[in-house]
């Protein structure tokens, strides 16, 4: 029987209350949202805390998808199912639905949250790769107000984030630019598993030329990695199979996978290349209305 | 700590440890052993119950988290002495073999039918994709859920 170590359970009634508790309790306390990453870690005693602060009552405040001119704001308590079912995200960022369909399973998706996924900072976690691909920014609130951290600085290494002891992630912002689409692909050992490798791509086209392109990879390094070299190679060029091949070669060369039970480093490099090609192709086809 | 929640329509109050998981609270403290305890890792789905009408894996929810909320277990499917169509479907179509995955399957099925009364076979398979039947009796489980959809 797996049970977490002993802890005191507290329930936060507001963001301010949660931050106040974190401030008072220090690094012996941890926030719990959906709990589907944290509780399994605690059951295995890989994580132990003296206090758990339940923030599920903050869903009304932090569970939202808000479209504004130039950006979409998503609250940290927005659950996987809400990300999957959102018509706004389907329209603007189809990468979310692609990714959500292969994250865990529908019952787990009823509980897990965007903020929890990002704060877990697992290098093979799919929503982190989505946020990396889309160039998201993380809003972190503390006692003295908010600060905004770009996704590339949010993860400080496996299971470590930029969020301080008396801070919490409250929102994630996604820049919204016209003429763009996106896609996500994952190879897993079995349905609902962590990725062997996954890739996200976002592209923006104007008059048949890529004005920008971004690729993010999961499970091929210590963080979900954005690949700026691909963006540089693709900007200003017309989409073609040869170009996707070139981007795939950069992805295979730039990533740093480890051989483990999910596959050899060589196999993962192969997947990084192939999934980069597939997601770029799919995102471009979506823009051209062919998928 | 003290926790109060509604389980199958009845309010219950109990003294619990913060670390107590909902599945153990239901089984060991309330005696509701219809909810099964399986893999303990949120993979198998036999522990699925409803939290505010949504299926959740109760091995990965703290009992304390259910405080103030509405929990429904497989014991609560039957209404007024009448089995739920999902339960009847599992009988009619041989949806249970060893029966271990059955409670979770039925709770997920009922939630699916409440949202989508006429699901396709593909939609049923998607909905129960977080549940494992180690008898591999998926075909009859899907047939049982379709039976329930047709009978409602």
């Amino acid at each position: 029987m797996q049970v977490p170590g002993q802890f005191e359970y507290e329930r936060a009634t507001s963001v301010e209350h949660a931050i106040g508790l974190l401030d008072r309790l220090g690094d012996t306390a941890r926030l719990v949202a959906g709990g589907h990453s944290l509780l399994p870690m605690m059951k295995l005693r890989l994580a132990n805390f003296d206090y758990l602060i339940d923030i599920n009552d903050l869903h009304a405040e932090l569970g939202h998808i808000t479209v504004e001119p130039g950006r979409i704001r998503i609250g940290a308590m927005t659950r996987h199912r809400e990300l999957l079912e959102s018509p706004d995200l389907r329209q603007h960022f189809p990468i979310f639905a692609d990714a959500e369909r292969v994250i865990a399973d529908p019952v787990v998706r009823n509980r897990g949250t965007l903020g929890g996924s990002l704060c877990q900072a697992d290098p093979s976690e799919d929503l982190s790769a989505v946020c990396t691909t889309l160039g998201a920014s993380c809003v972190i609130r503390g006692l003295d107000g908010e600060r905004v951290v770009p996704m590339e600085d949010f993860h400080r290494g496996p299971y470590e984030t930029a969020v301080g002891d008396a801070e919490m992630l409250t929102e994630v912002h996604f820049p919204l630019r016209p003429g763009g689409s996106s896609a996500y692909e994952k190879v897993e050992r079995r349905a609902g598993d962590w990725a062997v490798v996954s890739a996200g791509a976002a592209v923006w086209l104007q008059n048949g030329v890529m004005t920008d392109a971004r690729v993010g990879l999961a499970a091929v390094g210590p963080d979900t990695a954005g690949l700026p070299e691909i963006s540089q190679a693709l900007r200003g060029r017309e989409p073609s199979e040869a170009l996707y091949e070139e981007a795939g070669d950069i992805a295979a060369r730039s990533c740093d996978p480890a051989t483990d039970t999910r596959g050899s480093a060589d196999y993962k490099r192969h997947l990084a290349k192939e999934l980069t090609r597939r997601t770029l192709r799919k995102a471009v086809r979506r823009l051209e209305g062919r998928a | 700590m003290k926790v109060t929640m509604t389980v199958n329509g009845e309010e219950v109050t109990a003294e619990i440890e913060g670390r107590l998981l909902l599945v153990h609270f239901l089984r060991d403290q309330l005696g509701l052993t219809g909810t099964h305890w399986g893999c303990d890792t949120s993979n198998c789905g036999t522990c699925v119950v409803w939290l505010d009408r949504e299926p959740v894996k109760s091995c990965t929810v703290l009992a304390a988290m259910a405080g103030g909320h509405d929990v429904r277990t497989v014991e609560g499917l039957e209404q007024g002495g009448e089995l739920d169509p999902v339960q009847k479907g599992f009988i009619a179509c041989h949806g249970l073999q060893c029966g271990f995955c059955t409670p979770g399957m039925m709770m997920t099925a009922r939630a699916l039918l409440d949202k989508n009364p006429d699901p396709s076979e593909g939609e049923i398979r998607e909905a129960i994709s977080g549940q494992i039947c180690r008898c591999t009796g998926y075909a009859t489980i899907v047939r049982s859920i379709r039976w329930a959809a047709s009978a409602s």
Side-chain angles (χ1 to χ4, degrees), chain A residues 114-183:
Chain A
L114 172 63
S117 300
L118 295 195
C119 288
Q120 175 72 5
D122 188 309
S124 33
E125 198 278 314
D126 294 295
L127 277 186
S128 300
V130 168
C131 292
T132 300
T133 303
L134 294 175
S137 304
C138 302
V139 181
I140 298 170
R141 203 183 299 176
L143 289 171
D144 304 322
E146 286 180 350
R147 61 195 179 97
V148 179
V149 175
M151 199 54 209
E152 51 262 38
D153 298 329
F154 185 74
H155 287 158
R156 294 284 164 85
Y159 310 105
E160 284 182 43
T161 70
V163 182
D165 284 344
E167 290 186 318
M168 72 182 277
L169 174 67
T170 53
E171 270 190 1
V172 185
H173 293 173
F174 298 86
L176 198 51
R177 294 182 271 163
S181 193
S182 53

Side-chain angles (χ1 to χ4, degrees), chain A residues 1-7 9 11 32-36 39-40 43 45 52 54 56-57 81 101 105-111 190, chain B residues 1 17-19 21 24 37 40-43 48 51 54-57 59-62 64-65 67 69 108 115 126-127 129-131:
Chain A
M1 176 161 144
Q2 294 179 9
V3 287
Q6 283 184 322
F7 58 83
Y9 172 91
R11 198 181 273 202
V32 60
H36 277 61
L39 292 178
K43 285 162 87 171
R45 310 290 173 110
L52 269 199
D54 182 356
N56 279 284
D57 286 354
R81 182 179 53 78
R101 284 186 60 84
D105 62 65
V107 181
V108 168
R109 294 198 294 259
N110 280 340
R111 283 299 278 179
R190 56 183 164 78
Chain B
M1 62 174 289
E17 270 192 279
R19 63 174 173 169
L21 298 163
H24 300 308
W37 167 46
D40 227 347
T41 57
S42 41
N43 278 288
V48 167
L51 188 60
E54 270 191 336
V56 299
K57 293 185 174 177
C59 76
T60 312
V61 174
L62 298 171
M65 286 172 149
H69 294 276
T108 303
K115 279 187 181 167
E126 168 80 23
S129 61
Q131 338 262 136

Side-chain angles (χ1 to χ4, degrees), chain B residues 32-97:
Chain B
L32 295 172
T33 53
T35 300
H36 289 169
W37 167 46
C39 71
D40 227 347
T41 57
S42 41
N43 278 288
C44 82
T46 194
C47 67
V48 167
V49 301
W50 288 7
L51 188 60
D52 296 335
R53 303 196 68 80
E54 270 191 336
V56 299
K57 293 185 174 177
S58 61
C59 76
T60 312
V61 174
L62 298 171
M65 286 172 149
H69 294 276
D70 187 46
V71 175
R72 197 167 168 204
T73 70
V74 70
E75 286 91 345
L77 273 186
E78 179 188 322
Q79 295 288 314
E82 179 86 2
L83 290 180
D84 188 275
V86 167
Q87 294 172 302
K88 291 180 182 169
F90 271 68
I91 296 170
C93 301
H94 193 45
L96 29 75
Q97 293 185 36

